[in-house]
Amino acid sequence: MELTQQQIEFFDTFGYMAFPGLFSNDIDKITDSFEQVWAENGGGHFGKEHDHKQRSVLIQFIDQNEYLSSLIDDSRIDSVITSLLGEDYNYSGSDGNYYVGDTQW
């Protein structure tokens, strides 16, 4: 999917894009893989179970799961990033978060 000029201008103006339903057929596998990474790391921060009182985060998150890390090459993601950054873009890392309460977002 190549972005339109209007979509690129929207991103340049507002700094985000939304594609509702883009991964609707994959959401169960994405969710299961997300949960698997947390389980393999003790469920929360520093190998401790997520306590539902404060945010837990794992760095290099998608790199810990073959399926999640394959998504960076998925054409639904690659084509959007390539439209914005060009073909020579570089993935540099990820994190996974369990949030509690309000976020800064």
Side-chain angles (χ1 to χ4, degrees), residues 40-89:
E40 290 171 353
N41 285 276
H45 249 19
F46 306 112
K48 298 176 186 172
E49 188 173 336
H50 180 67
D51 64 8
H52 302 278
K53 295 178 183 172
Q54 62 181 355
R55 181 182 127 210
S56 292
V57 63
L58 295 172
I59 58 171
Q60 302 302 357
F61 191 83
I62 70 168
D63 306 280
Q64 298 183 46
N65 181 277
E66 184 176 352
Y67 174 70
L68 293 177
S69 49
S70 76
L71 293 175
I72 196 70
D73 295 320
D74 187 291
S75 62
R76 294 167 288 184
I77 292 176
D78 182 66
S79 62
V80 170
I81 297 171
T82 298
S83 292
L84 295 171
L85 302 177
E87 291 188 21
D88 62 344
Y89 75 88

Side-chain angles (χ1 to χ4, degrees), residues 2-20:
E2 189 169 326
L3 298 180
T4 66
Q5 187 60 38
Q6 183 178 6
Q7 288 173 309
I8 292 170
E9 289 172 5
F10 181 93
F11 180 80
D12 288 343
T13 301
F14 298 105
Y16 76 95
M17 304 187 88
F19 301 96

